[in-house]
Amino acid sequence: MSRLASRPVRIGPRAAAALILVSLIGVAAFGWPLLADRQSGLAHSQDAPWLFATLLPLLVAVVVATIADTGMDAKAVAMLGVLAAVGAALRPLGAGTAGLEPMFFLMVLSGRVLGPGFGFVLGSVTMFASALLTGGVGPWMPFQMLAMGWFSLGAGLLPGPERIRGRAELLMLAAYGFAAAFAYGAVMNLQGWVIIQGMAQGISFHQGEPLAANLVRFVAYYLATSLGWDLGRASLTVVLTLVLGGTLLRALRRATRRAAFDAAVSFDSGERPATEGELRGLSR
C-alpha cells in the first residue's frame, strides 16, 4: 500500500540561491535612500521599473529552480496559478476599509503548506495579479510584490511542518500572521516615507542624516500614520486563521497530495517480517 506524506516543498540549493539573490536586491531597493548622501536623488518612482524588470525573471528562476530541485510537474505550477487568482480576488473585498485585507490569511496558510520557495512566488504573483485587477499598478507595485513574497516565505519557514498540527499549528500561524502583518506595513511605509515631502519635522525623512536619527523619525511616522491600519489587517488575519484555518489547511494539503508536491512514496506489503527461525529453515 502506498502512503503519500504531505509536507511543504523543500528548498534545494538552486532555489535557495535564487531566493537569497532576490531578497538581497529587495533589501537594497527598500533601504538605499537611508544610506544616500544629500546630493543623491531619491527616485523610487524611477527605480521601480528597473526593480520590476529584475524581479520577474528572478521569480521565474525561483520556480524553475524549485521544480528542478524537487522534480515536480506542471500540476504544481497550475496550483500556484489557482491560489494566486483566489488571493487576487480576495484583495478588493477589504481594500480601503481600515486595513481589512483577507488575502493575508490565505498567504499565511498557503506559505505553510507550499513551503518557503513556492510561498515567496505565490505572494509576489498574487500581489501582481491583484494590482492588475484593482488598477493598483504604480511605482509601489514591485515593492508590494517583494513584501508579500517575504510575508508568505516566512510562513513557509515556521518550525514543525510535519509535527505541529491542530490547534497548536493554528495558534502559531495566527501569531505569525499578526506580527508579519505589522512587518509588511512597516516595510511598505518605508518605501513611501522617503519620498513624501512636507511632513512635520519630527516624522519626515531627512536625506543624508545619520541612519539612527532617520530610523527614529520613521518609527514616529509609522506610529502616527499607519499603526491603526495595520492593526486592522493583523486582527483580521488572526480571526480568519483561527476560524477558517483548520478547514483550509486540510483542503490545501489534500490538493498538494493530488498534485504530488514533494510526495514521499513508501510501499508496505502488509506481510509480517520473517522470524529468525524461519530464516534458518529457508537456509537449509
Side-chain angles (χ1 to χ4, degrees), residues 50 92 120 128 244 260:
W50 296 102
F120 179 86
F128 174 69
L244 303 176

Side-chain angles (χ1 to χ4, degrees), residues 7-20 22-23 55 58-67 69-70 72 76 80 107 110-125 145-146 148-158 261-262:
R7 59 180 184 269
V9 182
R10 63 181 177 84
I11 295 183
R14 285 169 287 194
L19 281 172
I20 291 172
V22 71
S23 294
L55 181 59
L58 285 175
L59 289 177
V60 175
V62 173
V63 175
V64 173
T66 303
I67 292 175
D69 288 337
T70 59
M72 291 181 297
L80 276 178
M107 295 298 103
S110 298
R112 173 68 170 176
V113 173
L114 299 180
F118 266 52
F120 179 86
V121 175
L122 174 63
S124 299
V125 173
M145 292 172 63
L146 278 168
M148 184 58 73
W150 289 331
F151 181 91
S152 302
L153 180 147
L157 292 174
L158 292 174
F261 266 69
D262 202 25

Side-chain angles (χ1 to χ4, degrees), residues 33-38 193 204-218:
L34 295 174
L35 304 177
D37 58 31
R38 295 182 185 276
W193 174 65
S204 62
F205 172 64
H206 294 181
Q207 187 177 351
E209 290 285 322
L211 176 62
N214 269 324
L215 288 179
V216 170
R217 295 188 188 98
F218 174 70

Side-chain angles (χ1 to χ4, degrees), residues 86-97 99-109 126 148 151 232-241 244 248:
V86 173
L90 283 176
R91 191 182 181 199
L93 298 180
T97 309
L100 303 178
E101 298 175 278
M103 70 173 290
F104 279 79
F105 104 99
L106 177 63
M107 295 298 103
V108 171
L109 301 181
T126 300
M148 184 58 73
F151 181 91
R233 175 193 298 126
S235 300
L236 181 64
T237 301
V238 169
V239 171
L240 292 179
T241 300
L244 303 176
L248 187 55

Side-chain angles (χ1 to χ4, degrees), residues 4 10 29 34 43 52 55 71 96 119 140 143 159 173 178 184 196 200-201 221 234-235 252 272 283:
L4 296 179
R10 63 181 177 84
L34 295 174
F52 183 68
L55 181 59
W140 54 84
F143 296 94
L173 292 175
F178 186 83
Y184 172 89
I196 297 176
Q201 184 76 8
Y221 165 80
S235 300
L252 288 172
R272 65 176 179 84
S283 65

